[in-house]
Amino acid sequence: MLFVGGQIGWNVQQQFETDDFVAQTRQTLKNIAAVLKASGTGPEHMARMTWYIADRMKYNAGLKEIGLVCREVMGKNFPAMTCVQVATLVEERPKN
């Protein structure tokens, strides 16, 4: 069994490339897929995902695009998913 946690929407240099919710979702899923690949598994082996989001409205507004991104990166695997809105996340986007 492999447990993966703490994946967020930044690149391998630990930098956010965008503030766009869907684009950060894509990057997060790519990060998860890379961890799975490094362990010799893939998205088809995932049984469960828990999403922690700070903005339910952005999530709901992007559901169609998020679904497309999920299929693009993770394939036709549909693990059990839970989405939880939280007050804030640990990693903040730096303010310019």
Side-chain angles (χ1 to χ4, degrees):
M1 293 176 110
L2 173 68
F3 295 87
V4 179
Q7 299 303 305
I8 62 174
W10 63 18
N11 62 26
V12 295
Q13 291 82 30
Q14 298 180 347
Q15 299 170 333
F16 291 100
E17 295 178 358
T18 180
D19 289 321
D20 181 75
F21 190 90
V22 174
Q24 282 193 15
T25 299
R26 176 182 283 111
Q27 183 63 56
T28 302
L29 293 172
K30 285 182 177 182
N31 295 345
I32 293 167
V35 171
L36 293 171
K37 184 177 180 181
S39 74
T41 64
E44 68 276 11
H45 297 106
M46 287 181 54
R48 180 174 174 232
M49 277 177 80
T50 302
W51 299 43
Y52 295 94
I53 60 169
D55 190 331
R56 179 176 54 96
M57 300 297 276
K58 283 184 183 179
Y59 175 81
N60 286 334
L63 274 177
K64 184 175 181 178
E65 289 177 278
I66 290 168
L68 294 172
V69 165
C70 285
R71 286 188 294 285
E72 169 195 324
V73 179
M74 306 304 272
K76 291 189 177 186
N77 180 46
F78 303 102
M81 292 175 46
T82 302
C83 185
V84 180
Q85 181 175 332
V86 296
T88 189
L89 301 170
V90 173
E91 298 295 337
E92 287 189 47
R93 176 86 163 126
K95 307 272 190 275
N96 292 334

